[in-house]
Amino acid sequence: MKTAHLVRPALALLLATSATAALAQTASPAPANSPQDRAAMNELLAADEYILRIQALDDNGPRINAVIDYDPAASVKARQMLGTGPLRGRTVLVKDNVETAEWPTTAGSLALKDNATGRDAPLIALLRKNGGVVLGKTNLSEWANIRSDGSTSGWSAVGGLTRNPYAIDRNTCGSSSGSGAAIAAGFAWGAIGTETNGSITCPAAINGLVGFKPSVGIVSRTHVVPISSTQDTAGPMTRTVLDAALLLTAIAGEDKADPVTREAKRVKDYTAGLETASLQGVRIGVLRSAVGSRGDVKALFEAALADLTRAGAVLVDVEYAPPGELWAASLPVLLYELRVEMDKYLSGRPVAEGPRSLADVVAFNRANPGAEMRWFGQELFEQALETTDAEAYATNLATLRRLTRAEGIDKLLADNSVSFLVAPTTGPAWTTDLVNGDNFGGGIGAGYLAAIAGYPHLTVPMGGVEGLPVGISIMGGQWQDHAVLKAGAAYEKARTAKLPAPTFRPWRPLED
């Protein structure tokens, strides 16, 4: 549901006419001479269309239900920002766990439905400073999918269930489900998602997008509803690698309130060199053990590897199996950090109403089981309240860092003399089932390595299975974000697979 600025479909034409009239009254922009200016002008012309598409396809029709709220004056603001910064008025949708001054930031929970802080997260302030226009907020898997193991990705009590534009009875993955579905449906130029473990890359892959989880520290986490101090990051979700790099350029920056950002090694412009990027002679490690058991996904991946080879890459098979102690340490670290970070965020909100601690959220859910816990519970929240052993946390965190960094990605890259690791990102979208929850299957992907290590992970579309998108993952070492983006851009140019298109209807088998 939209919580404000809801424009009835019958007013769509009036809205477009009014916005066009407002644009006509503003000063004409400078001639669009450069490719960047021409692209920005095209986006400006599309700004009104985005609103109309939200009204036709999100509020009505197939009801994708990706957008919680939007600004009907976004096209006017885009015109005003046309000559500003690298984004030049491009419209961006923002996941509803990132604070923006215009709307409440709910994380999908009714406990935070009135969380109108009136402030921008630092990454949003940078977005605006660099010429971006916040078009609206997107739905997400409630509390970024950390409440329960039995959850259904794409559902929140505030936003309801988000549907996949490629097949509306299929899942959008999570937790940045609304951001992924919205860009796949053509509701904005780009979107911001957040990830702790797979929450940018999975919905991007399943919705046929480019998604980039940067190294932790490239983008500020201040005023973002948290899970993990060591794994959380925001990142771009777009249609192309170049657009992802452009959006990252706009939101990356140091934040004194987020110490890890002061350690980051950034580049000024993540788009630099992408258009001429080459894989000639680049050694790439292939994680065969992460291909999984599905023959159709394996066939797509083999075709992508052939594209990489034709582009000049040297492929090296890399063997890796995650040790059991990695999984034994992972959840306790997240639960410990969840309690600590959530208490910090909730107690520091400049809003009188609502929860001040994770314990308050648990109590709210217990008091509102019909609205909040009809489909799944909150056992992970309850476990987090009991995960208080600081010494055990430190030991587990050291184990994770060792296994995913020094004995993980760093070792795999060094021992095999490769620059990147590749694998399928995940399988095709499963049928959404609120009663039984998510149905990940096939043992596909290795994005957890980059997520836990805090290293960069890019997913790029590599084709489709029966009309459902599948992505390829490219992972690199810490602070190698620019190099990973360049590798993704080079693959994108070399890709030969035909990409599926959204159908906005329930899935059905492709005709032979």
Side-chain angles (χ1 to χ4, degrees):
M1 63 180 179
K2 307 294 184 290
T3 56
H5 295 311
L6 177 57
V7 182
R8 298 178 185 224
L11 297 180
L13 181 59
L14 176 61
L15 170 64
T17 303
S18 299
T20 302
L23 291 178
Q25 294 174 11
T26 61
S28 298
N33 294 321
S34 70
Q36 294 87 349
D37 286 335
R38 289 193 293 273
M41 180 62 76
N42 289 336
E43 282 302 316
L44 173 66
L45 296 174
D48 279 327
E49 182 181 347
Y50 292 142
I51 297 293
L52 297 177
R53 288 182 67 84
I54 290 171
Q55 292 172 337
L57 300 172
D58 207 63
D59 299 341
N60 297 280
R63 295 188 181 275
I64 298 302
N65 209 32
V67 180
I68 290 176
D69 213 333
Y70 58 87
D71 181 358
S75 62
V76 177
K77 295 176 181 178
R79 176 92 172 188
Q80 295 167 346
M81 300 297 287
L82 183 57
T84 305
L87 293 186
R88 294 176 167 88
R90 288 172 171 84
T91 54
V92 179
L93 287 163
V94 179
K95 185 178 179 181
D96 195 30
N97 61 346
V98 180
E99 291 189 12
T100 64
E102 298 94 331
W103 303 286
T105 297
T106 72
S109 171
L110 294 173
L112 290 182
K113 67 181 178 62
D114 298 318
N115 187 35
T117 66
R119 63 192 181 187
D120 280 338
L123 75 92
I124 299 299
L126 282 173
L127 176 78
R128 299 190 206 268
K129 178 182 177 182
N130 286 307
V133 175
V134 177
L135 178 60
K137 302 293 282 290
T138 57
N139 196 20
L140 68 160
S141 308
E142 186 171 317
W143 294 111
N145 249 353
I146 192 62
R147 205 183 83 188
S148 169
D149 278 330
S151 66
T152 294
S153 292
W155 181 89
S156 74
V158 168
L161 179 66
T162 297
R163 297 174 177 85
N164 192 318
Y166 286 84
I168 60 175
D169 55 345
R170 296 275 168 156
N171 202 264
T172 50
C173 202
S175 62
S176 304
S177 48
S179 295
I183 303 309
F187 295 160
W189 168 75
I192 291 172
T194 66
E195 176 163 326
T196 304
N197 192 340
S199 289
I200 289 173
T201 52
C202 184
I206 274 182
N207 286 280
L209 301 177
V210 171
F212 185 57
K213 184 206 78 72
S215 296
V216 173
I218 296 292
V219 179
S220 165
R221 288 92 54 84
T222 300
H223 303 333
V224 179
V225 181
I227 293 177
S228 167
S229 56
T230 57
Q231 292 179 214
D232 285 356
T233 182
M237 301 172 72
T238 60
R239 295 179 185 87
T240 70
V241 177
L242 182 64
D243 285 350
L246 184 61
L247 185 49
L248 181 65
T249 298
I251 64 175
E254 183 176 319
D255 172 18
K256 293 181 180 179
D258 187 357
V260 72
T261 66
R262 287 176 276 172
E263 304 169 7
K265 297 178 181 178
R266 300 179 189 85
V267 300
K268 184 177 181 180
D269 180 3
Y270 286 95
T271 70
L274 262 66
E275 293 182 345
T276 57
S278 171
L279 291 172
Q280 187 64 45
V282 176
R283 290 173 59 86
I284 296 177
V286 180
L287 291 170
R288 297 282 181 185
S289 60
V291 175
S293 59
R294 293 188 59 123
D296 46 15
V297 172
K298 181 179 180 181
L300 282 180
F301 186 56
E302 291 296 336
L305 295 179
D307 290 339
L308 291 171
T309 299
R310 280 190 293 271
V314 178
L315 303 184
V316 180
D317 283 354
V318 171
E319 296 297 326
Y320 177 76
E325 57 181 325
L326 187 153
W327 303 124
S330 179
L331 183 59
V333 165
L334 288 184
L335 295 180
Y336 185 95
E337 293 181 349
L338 169 65
R339 176 183 54 80
V340 171
E341 297 304 317
M342 193 69 77
D343 284 357
K344 285 180 185 177
Y345 174 80
L346 294 174
S347 63
R349 294 179 305 119
V351 179
E353 299 78 14
R356 314 307 293 180
S357 67
L358 181 60
D360 289 347
V361 174
V362 169
F364 177 91
N365 291 338
R366 287 173 178 165
N368 297 274
E372 281 289 354
M373 296 200 293
R374 176 180 177 183
W375 305 116
F376 55 90
Q378 59 175 347
E379 67 276 5
L380 294 182
F381 275 7
E382 293 167 347
Q383 289 176 41
L385 294 179
E386 304 299 321
T387 307
T388 59
D389 187 332
E391 185 175 346
Y393 164 71
T395 299
N396 284 327
L397 179 59
T399 297
L400 291 183
R401 287 288 169 86
R402 171 175 57 83
L403 293 178
T404 60
R405 292 183 174 187
E407 297 176 15
I409 292 176
D410 296 345
K411 180 176 175 61
L412 293 174
L413 296 176
D415 287 358
N416 295 280
S417 300
V418 295
S419 299
F420 311 105
L421 302 172
V422 297
T425 305
T426 189
W430 58 92
T431 303
T432 295
D433 184 346
L434 284 167
V435 175
N436 294 304
D438 284 335
N439 183 28
F440 293 94
I444 301 167
Y448 61 87
L449 267 176
I452 297 171
Y455 288 6
H457 176 189
L458 176 71
T459 182
V460 183
M462 68 170 178
V465 171
E466 291 286 341
L468 302 172
V470 177
I472 184 173
S473 288
I474 303 173
M475 294 171 281
Q478 189 177 38
W479 316 131
Q480 296 302 305
D481 301 68
H482 192 203
V484 169
L485 286 164
K486 286 194 285 188
Y491 164 71
E492 196 175 48
K493 287 186 294 185
R495 180 181 58 211
T496 58
K498 181 180 179 181
L499 302 184
T503 68
F504 298 99
R505 65 176 183 241
W507 181 84
R508 60 191 186 201
L510 295 177
E511 296 180 2
D512 293 333

